[in-house]
Amino acid sequence: MQQSLSFAHRYEPSARARAPTLLLLHGTGGNESDLLPLGRMIAPGATLLSPRGKVLENGMPRFFRRLAEGVFDEEDVVRRANELADFIAEARGRYGLPAPIAVGYSNGANVAAAVLLLRPEAMAGAILLRPMMPLRAAPAASLQGKPVLLLSGVMDPIATIASTAGLAAALDGAGASVQHRELPAGHELSQADIATARRWLASATSQEAEAAVA
Ligand code: MLT
């Protein structure tokens, strides 16, 4: 674990040329090591940057405070999303990284969504696994074609399809290139999440490379 930046985090430099940079954001009760295996499966050889959420709920790390299940402390969401965007900028300077693609699960997906809406420059795109709309009213963000994949579980009692669809609409309205897929799963991740995220990322990063040479 590296601690010298503003978040405790893990950093794994890329093992291959032109591999993407992923920002891994864990769920409630997780930590900076949790999603490293997922990142390696979604993008073998990618650069991985994985911070630990600073908020503790009964000792469980999270990325922002909530008042109850699914009821968020919005002032804290805004503050913590800005704090995370500042950390991303700090880590990019320290490690010489491009803007990362976030891979967030549950609470990590929700904070990634808040960063996209509040500080769009911080991320190149995002894979949001079981996300919900983190803010009651979407701020006027400009996401200019940023690729965002949202994966819902049709049996998920926490991040319901309706709440994820509201977030997808907000991102789409801000100009992001949004794909929202429903998988036969609950709140937990499934093999289908990994396979879908992997395919989507390969296509999103090859389109980005084509745009760079065009
Ligand atoms: C949240 O609090 O961000 C969501 O309810 C997901 C969770 O962490 O359970």
Side-chain angles (χ1 to χ4, degrees):
M1 182 196 60
Q2 285 90 352
Q3 176 57 88
S4 52
L5 302 184
S6 58
F7 277 67
H9 65 284
R10 297 274 302 263
Y11 171 65
E12 274 191 16
S14 169
R16 71 183 163 87
R18 291 191 303 280
T21 297
L22 302 184
L23 174 77
L24 304 174
L25 300 167
H26 63 78
T28 301
N31 63 38
E32 66 278 23
S33 299
D34 265 19
L35 296 191
L36 295 173
L38 178 72
R40 293 183 198 119
M41 284 187 277
I42 291 178
T47 297
L48 304 177
L49 176 66
S50 184
R52 187 198 314 158
K54 290 186 182 184
V55 171
L56 288 179
E57 183 184 277
N58 302 320
M60 296 187 295
R62 288 174 51 83
F63 285 95
F64 55 77
R65 257 171 50 81
R66 65 179 163 184
L67 308 173
E69 176 70 60
V71 184
F72 303 144
D73 174 343
E74 288 211 16
E75 213 174 285
D76 198 57
V77 173
V78 172
R79 172 170 158 235
R80 301 291 178 175
N82 277 300
E83 194 177 60
L84 183 59
D86 291 343
F87 163 75
I88 297 167
E90 197 187 357
R92 287 183 61 188
R94 167 71 62 90
Y95 300 122
L97 302 174
I101 294 181
V103 178
Y105 168 61
S106 190
N107 181 245
N110 297 343
V111 79
V115 172
L116 278 170
L117 292 167
L118 293 162
R119 296 278 297 272
E121 80 290 351
M123 294 169 177
I127 296 173
L128 306 178
L129 305 163
R130 311 294 183 272
M132 300 161 69
M133 182 65 183
L135 299 162
R136 269 185 297 273
S142 173
L143 289 169
Q144 298 161 344
K146 274 189 210 289
V148 183
L149 174 68
L150 300 92
L151 294 182
S152 292
V154 288
M155 291 161 292
D156 188 344
I158 299 171
T160 61
I161 303 276
S163 65
T164 307
L167 171 61
L171 295 169
D172 185 67
S177 171
V178 174
Q179 259 189 53
H180 179 194
R181 302 272 308 271
E182 297 172 16
L183 302 176
H187 197 65
E188 300 308 313
L189 297 180
S190 66
Q191 283 302 323
D193 286 276
I194 297 166
T196 309
R198 190 178 163 128
R199 270 196 309 271
W200 177 90
L201 185 65
S203 153
T205 48
S206 74
Q207 279 168 24
E208 199 180 293
E210 276 165 30
V213 291

